[in-house]
Amino acid sequence: MIPDVTRLGLALVKGTRHLDRDDVVLDRHGPVGDRTWCLVDRAAARVLRTVENAHLLRLAVHDVGTVEEPRLAVTTPDGRTTEAGTRDAVNGIQAFDYWGRGARIRLQDTALHDVFSEALGRDVVLARAERGDVVYADPVSVVTTGALRRLEESLREAGYAVRSPLDARFRATVTLDLDDDPPPRTRLRLGEAVVEVTDPLERCAVVDLDPVTGERTDVRLLSHLRADDGRLLFGMGARVLRPGTLRRRT
């Protein structure tokens, strides 16, 4: 199956604003750059999670460096953008809690610690995560235009005024122009890459937050996602079979 891609996105720092991209490179671990970084509460030895730290969504992070010399630009809600380099601190790999499992991270030496801490109102530090360690489910997430359209219709029937595209609320790697979600084990050719669909994705309260402000919205999605078995599902996971670049339809 070779569907059209209508939206691509990722977040460089776990939990921060999911940013639209014109193209994404997939390697065997998933989208290159996606959740490369995370913020940690060093005192609690825990990776910050969006569902508990909604103001993460107010932070937009862009990569302005190179592989050899990483450098991030962080834009805070007041419109200020701060750029700084980052490098591994001398204490090497450590294990921090992420949803009850150990995430392997490298604490960073960077001036951005203060920027993140001030924006979130708590003492946090930036860390580089091992690929996939701060990803809750599959490395690639997929939603379809058909499922989004049906959800919007359901919301309007319930009396909600839907004023913005819903796919940003699900923070998916890719939105595909398909009427229905592809079933598990379907292979999709996305540009140069090939992925295999795995299982439906369970959702949490993050989908009820504004994807830019982090505020709880009037349009409540979570209650409209209940499946027959009681789980809150929307979209599908996928794993990468053949790495490559995929591009948004223009």
Side-chain angles (χ1 to χ4, degrees):
M1 186 182 297
I2 311 177
D4 282 340
V5 175
T6 63
R7 183 182 181 273
L8 289 167
L10 55 77
L12 296 175
V13 177
K14 170 70 181 177
T16 59
R17 190 175 308 161
H18 204 252
L19 301 178
D20 287 1
R21 301 283 289 262
D22 289 330
D23 56 76
V24 167
V25 176
L26 297 182
D27 65 11
R28 64 186 183 88
H29 297 287
V32 174
D34 188 41
R35 292 165 283 190
T36 297
W37 312 91
C38 63
L39 296 170
V40 302
D41 180 330
R42 184 157 45 183
R46 172 184 284 189
V47 175
L48 266 61
R49 305 182 302 196
T50 318
V51 70
E52 297 173 335
N53 301 273
H55 283 179
L56 282 167
L57 296 172
R58 303 167 67 188
L59 303 173
V61 184
H62 292 85
D63 186 352
V64 293
T66 64
V67 174
E68 294 77 16
E69 298 184 4
R71 188 174 183 84
L72 299 178
V74 181
T75 302
T76 49
D78 58 10
R80 290 182 299 166
T81 298
T82 304
E83 290 188 17
T86 184
R87 62 183 180 181
D88 293 346
V90 295
N91 48 356
I93 295 178
Q94 296 183 353
F96 278 67
D97 176 74
Y98 175 67
W99 289 105
R101 66 193 193 213
R104 297 164 296 169
I105 67 168
R106 295 178 184 269
L107 297 178
Q108 296 295 293
D109 179 8
T110 178
L112 294 174
H113 296 322
D114 291 341
V115 175
F116 287 119
S117 295
E118 181 181 354
L120 297 174
R122 61 185 299 179
D123 185 23
V124 299
V125 294
L126 181 69
R128 180 192 290 271
E130 293 292 294
R131 293 292 301 278
D133 275 20
V134 295
V135 178
Y136 184 75
D138 293 296
V140 177
S141 56
V142 176
V143 298
T144 62
T145 53
L148 289 164
R149 183 176 61 252
R150 288 188 292 275
L151 176 59
E152 183 172 340
E153 291 169 355
S154 175
L155 291 167
R156 293 188 188 282
E157 289 173 0
Y160 290 113
V162 182
R163 300 184 181 89
S164 59
L166 293 177
D167 47 356
R169 300 269 288 271
F170 293 102
R171 300 169 63 85
T173 309
V174 56
T175 302
L176 300 179
D177 191 11
L178 293 172
D179 288 335
D180 297 294
D181 288 349
R185 293 182 294 281
T186 300
R187 294 191 174 188
L188 303 172
R189 181 176 174 182
L190 306 177
E192 301 167 353
V194 175
V195 304
E196 183 178 66
V197 177
T198 54
D199 299 302
L201 292 172
E202 295 193 56
R203 299 295 178 171
C204 67
V206 172
V207 301
D208 282 341
L209 303 177
D210 185 285
V212 174
T213 68
E215 300 297 329
R216 191 170 173 83
T217 67
D218 292 333
V219 180
R220 305 293 169 82
L221 304 186
L222 202 59
S223 61
H224 289 260
L225 305 182
R226 195 171 302 280
D228 292 340
D229 61 4
R231 291 183 297 165
L232 304 174
L233 305 175
F234 194 87
M236 302 294 291
R239 62 188 184 95
V240 180
L241 297 182
R242 186 174 75 197
T245 300
L246 53 152
R247 294 178 175 82
R248 180 178 59 85
R249 182 181 67 192
T250 58

